[in-house]
Amino acid sequence: QVQLVESGGGLAQAGGSLRLSCAASGRTFSRYAMGWFRQAPGKEREFVAFITLIEGFTNYADAVKGRFTIFRDIAQMTVDLQMNSLKPEDTAVYYCAYASRQGGSYDYWGQGTHVTVSS
């Protein structure tokens, strides 16, 4: 089992910044990538960004490209999401996810952290 704990959510004004962090613990010896997803009220969960844990390859949703940056710290087994130039439409519950193997689905999910962006 892998446990994921998110932190860093909260309230920001439009144009502001927040940084989310996700710490992975447990059976992390099998590691491929970690990602961030979000779910806005009344909408389905959507992909935000992911990073491969060994190579550091990243990918972003078009909606956040150029504004959000994903980082990883292998030693600490943490993945952060730096969110700049926030927009009200970024308001959502943000979830961290962990993929043990390439080509597989995300095996583990965090509980989520709320982000609210006011206009």
Side-chain angles (χ1 to χ4, degrees):
Q1 292 285 335
V2 173
Q3 293 77 43
L4 302 175
V5 177
E6 301 110 330
S7 61
L11 177 66
Q13 290 189 330
S17 298
L18 283 174
R19 188 175 180 112
L20 306 182
S21 185
C22 177
S25 61
R27 299 171 67 86
T28 59
F29 50 83
S30 182
R31 53 184 70 168
Y32 169 61
M34 290 177 68
W36 286 95
F37 290 73
R38 67 186 182 186
Q39 187 167 16
K43 295 187 177 181
E44 295 193 352
R45 190 178 302 189
E46 65 177 5
F47 166 76
V48 175
F50 97 112
I51 186 165
T52 59
L53 294 174
I54 304 301
E55 300 89 350
F57 173 77
T58 60
N59 192 27
Y60 297 90
D62 288 343
V64 307
K65 207 170 288 185
R67 300 188 298 121
F68 291 11
T69 306
I70 190 168
F71 302 91
R72 93 259 192 241
D73 183 330
I74 294 296
Q76 299 294 325
M77 279 306 293
T78 59
V79 170
D80 288 6
L81 185 68
Q82 178 65 42
M83 306 186 295
N84 298 330
S85 302
L86 284 164
K87 304 176 181 180
E89 50 264 45
D90 294 319
T91 295
V93 178
Y94 283 71
Y95 296 91
C96 176
Y98 184 98
S100 301
R101 294 176 300 278
Q102 184 177 5
S105 59
Y106 286 92
D107 308 280
Y108 303 98
W109 293 82
Q111 293 298 308
T113 184
H114 289 261
V115 171
T116 302
V117 183
S118 61
S119 57

